Amino acid sequence: MIRLSADLSILTVLNERLVEQRLPKLDYLKHRLDRGEILDDYDIWFLEHALADARRNTTLVERHPEAQGIFGSLLHLYKEIMDLAVANEKNPALLAATNS
C-alpha cells in the first residue's frame, strides 16, 4: 500500500512536470524544427535531461499500465524531435543559412 501511494505521488508530480514544463518546450522545439531550424546547446541539454528522466522512470511506468500510453507517446515525440533535428543538421542549405 505504501509503494502504491508513493508511486501515485511520483506519477502525479511527473504528470504536472510534463504538462507545465516538458510538453510546452517539446512543442516549441518541434515547431522550430518543422520550420527547418537547428537545435542550440540548451535545446540539446534539455532533451538529454528529459530522456535521462524518462529512463529513470521506466520501472515506475512498467508497474502502472495506465501511464504506459502517455509514456509511449512521449517517447515517440522525443524520437520525432531527434529525427527532425538530425535531418536539419544534415541539410547543408540550413547550415549555411545558420552560419551566415
Side-chain angles (χ1 to χ4, degrees):
M1 184 67 170
I2 293 172
R3 177 183 226 163
L4 178 61
S5 178
D7 282 0
L8 292 178
S9 295
I10 293 168
L11 286 170
T12 299
V13 170
L14 291 173
N15 186 59
E16 288 173 3
R17 182 186 304 161
L18 177 65
V19 170
E20 294 173 10
Q21 298 172 8
R22 297 278 163 85
L23 285 178
K25 177 70 174 179
L26 293 169
D27 184 51
Y28 171 74
L29 292 177
K30 180 151 181 349
H31 180 72
R32 283 183 42 218
L33 291 167
D34 285 341
R35 290 192 320 241
E37 295 181 32
I38 59 172
L39 299 179
D40 61 29
D41 290 341
Y42 175 75
D43 299 330
I44 294 167
W45 178 90
F46 170 83
L47 287 170
E48 288 172 348
H49 281 74
L51 284 168
D53 206 21
R55 272 188 235 106
R56 278 191 301 276
N57 292 303
T58 301
T59 304
L60 175 67
V61 171
E62 287 173 352
R63 287 196 302 266
H64 295 277
E66 68 276 12
Q68 292 174 4
I70 294 169
F71 189 75
S73 296
L74 184 60
L75 291 178
H76 178 76
L77 180 57
Y78 286 140
K79 182 182 182 324
E80 190 175 346
I81 287 170
M82 288 185 286
D83 289 347
L84 278 168
V86 169
N88 289 359
E89 285 282 342
K90 289 182 177 180
N91 185 336
L94 290 175
L95 288 176
T98 303
N99 292 327
S100 56

